[in-house]
Amino acid sequence: MSASRPRPLKSDGKMPHVGAAPRARAPRVAASPSRVYRFQPASETMSRDALAALQLRRLQATLRLAYDQVAPYRAKCQATGVQPEDLRSLDDLALFPFSLKSDLRDAYPFGLFAVPRSGTVRLHASSGTTGRPTVVGYTQGDLAIWADLMARSLAAAGARPGDLVHNAYGYGLFTGGLGVHAGVERLGATVVPASGGGTERQVVLLQDFAADVLCATPSYALNLAEVAEREGIDLRGGPLRLGVFGAEPWSEGMRAELSARLGIVARDIYGLSEIMGPGVAVECAAAEGLHGWEDHFLFEIVDPETGARLPNGATGELVITTLTKQALPMIRYRTRDITRLETRVCACGRTHARIMRITGRSDDMLIIRGVNVYPSQIEAALVAVPGAGPHYQIVLGHAGALDTLGIELEPASPCDAAAQEALAQAVVHRIKSLIGLSVAVVVREVGTLPRSQGKAVRVRDLRPRG
Ligand code: DLL
């Protein structure tokens, strides 16, 4: 098979043209027009019918590629008795088998690639919690499309050519740092590749370089805000106006906290390495869900237990099929992320469906004495309690035959023992009334719980193994 490196496709399926003039506010844009991304391509507002036709064409090509070049996927299709020709409409995709994270692990490291390893120009990997990492690869063309989609995502979130973007997502095998980095450059903005860690130095850079936009996990953004306050650096007085936060679940309460402490508008960005990395979906100014870029991905919602496709608007597990990936085409990838899709045209005019805020992963769901609960639900309940700070950890334990749920949190500001006790009681009542669970709450001193350096660790599981 050919390991050719396709140029990125434009969203209408034609070859890309560069040179769209930026709608820039003089004099901030210094980049030459040919290097600046046209930040809302027509494909984002194309009719649903045209989008469906484009998806069908690209889906047929992707199925062909996966079937012909990825032996494990072909074997799955053969076992199910389907082949690419069976896909005549988008609905026919439901006939095809799912792809799972375990498929990537089983084919470690490169067994699901549709091109020879020498046809890839970049690899990323996620460590996962157990066993082998999952490895993902990109052709030159895949990287170009990723940069385009990240640029579109940043633009939809409110970033503009000429902005200074402080990128505190981790660089390395994680897709966050390098994925966002390429998008900022593609947009024609200036990227500061800060990565994670060295938080004191980062807040100085945020101030000295006068960042307009901060990209980070929400938990690390909170760490930055806190360190800035401690160091007497007022980021609210500067040009910083936008945060593009993702890579982990976060709540509306955390959005309010970050907006107030950093003086910004906070937008949500979603992605996963198996599908591409950051930039699969993003919030626009309407902030009513995250536009999933449907010219490059096809989204379905299925029942997490049975895998049956759920009707429009139902909540379930997000399943994603890539439509233009060459190195690692993914057919019906089970993300484990729980959400619903909104297909009504958005107030911003974009026609691409919206993925509503991810409440959690089906494999992160805690079942405590028969009650299903996601860590992000606990966060949402906590941040609304007056006097509670945004730092918390969930502690799972065991008493007799029952699992127990504990919460450790810090108050918003130092307080005496009586105030700590009152805060603990308020949290107990709130969790009981919102989630229906009895919890043991411990209020710690301000500054004693671990601070996030990237993706926050929210759950300490002290239950005996096995
Ligand atoms: O976290 C990619 C990314 C980087 C997204 C930077 C956004 C910003 P993975 O490490 O493969 O990739 O983790 C993917 O993280 O399946 C979700 O469970 C979770 N996740 C990602 N974004 C969000 C979000 C990157 N906005 C996994 N809200 C996904 C909730 C998110 N969960």
Side-chain angles (χ1 to χ4, degrees):
M1 61 137 299
S2 114
S4 67
R5 296 170 180 183
R7 291 166 61 197
L9 290 174
K10 249 181 48 174
S11 306
D12 56 7
K14 298 184 190 125
M15 295 307 280
H17 80 100
V18 283
R23 275 182 278 152
R25 295 165 302 172
R28 301 195 60 204
V29 175
S32 77
S34 65
R35 302 201 40 229
V36 172
Y37 189 71
R38 189 161 59 108
F39 52 78
Q40 186 172 344
S43 62
E44 293 183 16
T45 50
M46 74 201 289
S47 74
R48 299 280 321 161
D49 285 349
L51 202 48
L54 175 68
Q55 286 190 316
L56 182 59
R57 264 202 330 274
R58 290 182 168 181
L59 180 58
Q60 284 166 332
T62 300
L63 274 175
R64 185 83 261 162
L65 176 69
Y67 191 90
D68 289 349
Q69 304 300 338
V70 185
Y73 194 71
R74 182 168 58 248
K76 270 195 180 194
C77 288
Q78 285 166 344
T80 318
V82 285
Q83 43 192 17
E85 298 70 46
D86 295 330
L87 186 112
R88 291 183 197 86
S89 73
L90 290 177
D91 283 342
D92 291 339
L93 184 58
L95 304 170
F96 285 78
F98 291 117
S99 301
L100 309 172
K101 198 178 190 83
S102 56
D103 295 335
L104 278 156
R105 295 227 166 92
D106 294 345
Y108 176 83
F110 311 137
L112 293 193
F113 286 12
V115 300
R117 200 277 308 141
S118 57
T120 63
V121 294
R122 170 99 66 84
L123 302 176
H124 281 283
S126 70
S127 54
T129 40
T130 50
R132 295 163 163 180
T134 51
V135 181
V136 297
Y138 305 78
T139 64
Q140 203 74 267
D142 291 334
L143 286 187
I145 289 177
W146 187 10
D148 278 357
L149 291 180
M150 246 329 296
R152 278 168 62 176
S153 300
L154 289 163
R160 290 291 173 264
D163 277 341
L164 189 129
V165 182
H166 184 101
N167 182 15
Y169 286 112
Y171 282 62
L173 289 174
F174 175 51
T175 53
L178 285 163
V180 169
H181 184 105
V184 177
E185 292 180 342
R186 184 80 180 97
L187 183 68
T190 308
V191 63
V192 179
S195 194
T199 311
E200 279 79 8
R201 197 166 65 113
Q202 293 214 25
V203 296
V204 173
L205 292 185
L206 275 162
Q207 185 179 52
D208 290 355
F209 291 0
D212 302 291
V213 180
L214 169 63
C215 295
T217 61
S219 59
Y220 190 61
L222 185 65
N223 191 353
L224 285 166
E226 195 176 55
V227 170
E229 286 158 16
R230 201 176 63 215
E231 303 283 312
I233 292 177
D234 181 14
L235 294 174
R236 286 177 305 183
L240 192 65
R241 63 165 206 279
L242 173 68
V244 185
F245 302 140
E248 62 185 4
W250 55 305
S251 62
E252 283 302 318
M254 187 65 87
R255 191 207 296 271
E257 179 88 24
L258 289 169
S259 304
R261 288 176 79 162
L262 290 165
I264 54 166
V265 164
R267 299 269 182 253
D268 196 358
I269 183 164
Y270 171 77
L272 61 167
S273 53
E274 294 85 349
I275 292 302
M276 180 177 80
V280 173
V282 76
E283 260 177 356
C284 64
E288 288 177 355
L290 292 77
H291 288 285
W293 300 129
E294 288 186 282
D295 43 349
H296 293 273
F297 308 107
L298 196 142
F299 302 101
E300 301 171 79
I301 299 288
V302 304
D303 182 319
E305 302 289 325
T306 64
R309 210 186 244 188
L310 293 178
N312 249 349
T315 297
E317 179 181 340
L318 181 65
V319 170
I320 311 181
T321 299
T322 64
L323 298 175
T324 48
K325 285 272 293 292
Q326 296 297 308
L328 188 61
M330 271 291 164
I331 314 291
R332 307 195 81 203
Y333 183 72
R334 301 277 303 251
T335 66
R336 304 285 169 206
D337 291 324
I338 304 296
T339 182
R340 67 182 173 84
L341 293 180
E342 172 62 70
T343 46
R344 275 177 305 178
V345 174
C346 179
C348 73
R350 288 183 180 83
T351 47
H352 292 225
R354 280 162 288 159
I355 296 169
M356 304 317 280
R357 182 182 279 282
I358 309 275
T359 45
R361 297 176 55 80
S362 56
D363 40 13
D364 283 350
M365 189 177 73
L366 308 170
I367 305 178
I368 310 289
R369 296 189 294 278
V371 178
N372 298 353
V373 58
Y374 291 104
S376 62
Q377 283 175 280
I378 293 180
E379 176 180 302
L382 277 183
V383 288
V385 176
H391 298 285
Y392 68 96
Q393 273 200 331
I394 296 164
V395 185
L396 300 178
H398 211 65
L402 293 177
D403 286 342
T404 59
L405 178 67
I407 294 175
E408 294 184 9
L409 81 158
E410 294 177 9
S413 52
C415 59
D416 61 21
Q420 288 188 1
E421 180 53 30
L423 175 58
Q425 285 310 318
V427 171
V428 167
H429 285 129
R430 181 143 188 105
I431 302 282
K432 183 81 190 166
S433 63
L434 279 185
I435 303 174
L437 275 172
S438 301
V439 287
V441 175
V442 178
V443 178
R444 299 270 180 222
E445 295 296 328
V446 171
T448 53
L449 287 176
R451 298 304 192 246
S452 164
Q453 298 298 317
K455 296 198 189 214
V457 180
R458 294 298 189 197
V459 180
R460 259 182 19 238
D461 192 344
L462 305 179
R463 291 172 298 184
R465 300 240 159 250

